[in-house]
Amino acid sequence: DIQMTQSPSTLSASVGDRVTITCRASQSISSWLAWYQQKPGKAPKLLIYKASSLESGVPSRFSGSGSGTEFTLTISSLQPDDFATYYCQQYNSYSPLGAFGQGTKVEIK
Amino acid sequence: EVQLVQSGAEVKKPGESLKISCKGSGYSFTSYWIGWVRQMPGKGLEWMGIIYPGDSDTRYSPSFQGQVTISADKSISTAYLQWSSLKASDTAMYYCVRQLDIVATVDYWGQGTLVTVSS
């Protein structure tokens, strides 16, 4: 089974900061990685697919990079609306079904 | 407009059975996989299983195999998640999701169904 590990678990940052979240896969997943944003009480929302492709309607301050086993999500200038929890998801292989990382909560510093 | 509309919140006692639903609209229900994702209070996202309503092909994550049943009625564009005997540890938010393939990004999420199991 492919395991996904995110770091850090929690991140404290200020509006305007550049923020980077890392996601590591236990084996190569090529570029089959997605990032989701979840706000309290809401369903997650797709931000990035295929490691670096921005979903339609997502602000350009979000970007993704990486391939193989190491990936990053970067927010170039953190906005008040960006305080949320972020999850990575691999969709390279079936086992387990599109495993999610454990999440990274971005908090106000 | 694509929508996944889930049934409302439930409060149940341990040992009771439950079936929650997810109705798809605005797309060809039989052409996409419908998955179920659990989120326990304050915790992350966990895949439970997935079904292809076109032919009812169903897969379960190992942690949920035998614990829940996933089904679909394509005549009414609705997928289901059911338990035969709930436990307190089943207390969680449950999301249905849509994806194009068995392993793919999730492009649409239901609004979630909160299940509370308490004596």
Side-chain angles (χ1 to χ4, degrees), chain B residues 40-76:
Chain B
M40 298 176 78
K43 301 298 184 183
L45 306 169
E46 302 174 88
W47 274 103
M48 302 178 71
I50 196 165
I51 188 166
Y52 189 72
D55 62 6
S56 294
D57 184 5
T58 307
R59 316 291 176 89
Y60 295 92
S61 288
S63 300
F64 295 94
Q65 180 84 47
Q67 308 303 308
V68 296
T69 301
I70 292 170
S71 60
D73 184 342
K74 60 186 179 183
S75 70
I76 55 171

Side-chain angles (χ1 to χ4, degrees), chain B residues 10-83:
Chain B
E10 302 273 1
V11 179
K12 292 289 194 180
K13 290 181 166 41
E16 292 186 331
S17 62
L18 177 64
K19 192 173 189 178
I20 63 175
S21 66
C22 169
K23 183 171 176 61
S25 63
Y27 73 100
S28 174
F29 187 71
T30 54
S31 299
Y32 288 79
W33 293 78
I34 294 287
W36 289 94
V37 176
R38 182 176 79 173
Q39 188 167 39
M40 298 176 78
K43 301 298 184 183
L45 306 169
E46 302 174 88
W47 274 103
M48 302 178 71
I50 196 165
I51 188 166
Y52 189 72
D55 62 6
S56 294
D57 184 5
T58 307
R59 316 291 176 89
Y60 295 92
S61 288
S63 300
F64 295 94
Q65 180 84 47
Q67 308 303 308
V68 296
T69 301
I70 292 170
S71 60
D73 184 342
K74 60 186 179 183
S75 70
I76 55 171
S77 301
T78 301
Y80 302 96
L81 176 66
Q82 69 180 85
W83 296 259

Side-chain angles (χ1 to χ4, degrees), chain A residues 2-57:
Chain A
I2 297 177
Q3 308 297 324
M4 306 302 293
T5 304
Q6 287 181 236
S7 60
S9 296
T10 307
L11 187 160
S12 296
S14 302
V15 172
D17 284 354
R18 182 181 181 87
V19 164
T20 298
I21 299 168
T22 298
C23 179
R24 289 186 175 87
S26 58
Q27 63 191 74
S28 177
I29 57 170
S30 185
S31 295
W32 302 112
L33 184 100
W35 291 96
Y36 300 86
Q37 175 194 64
Q38 186 179 32
K39 296 181 180 177
K42 299 291 186 183
K45 168 189 163 185
L46 178 64
L47 298 176
I48 302 275
Y49 61 95
K50 211 171 177 185
S52 60
S53 296
L54 200 65
E55 176 73 349
S56 176

Side-chain angles (χ1 to χ4, degrees), chain A residues 1 33-34 36 38 41-46 48-50 55 87 89-102, chain B residues 37 39 42-50 58-62 93 95 99 102-112:
Chain A
D1 291 0
L33 184 100
Y36 300 86
Q38 186 179 32
K42 299 291 186 183
K45 168 189 163 185
L46 178 64
I48 302 275
Y49 61 95
K50 211 171 177 185
E55 176 73 349
Y87 294 92
Q89 180 214 8
Q90 73 84 13
Y91 55 106
N92 177 74
S93 68
Y94 166 71
S95 178
L97 287 167
F100 292 103
Q102 80 276 21
Chain B
V37 176
Q39 188 167 39
K43 301 298 184 183
L45 306 169
E46 302 174 88
W47 274 103
M48 302 178 71
I50 196 165
T58 307
R59 316 291 176 89
Y60 295 92
S61 288
M93 180 71 82
Y95 292 102
Q99 53 190 64
I102 188 169
V103 183
T105 57
V106 172
D107 59 0
Y108 285 91
W109 297 70
Q111 83 276 19

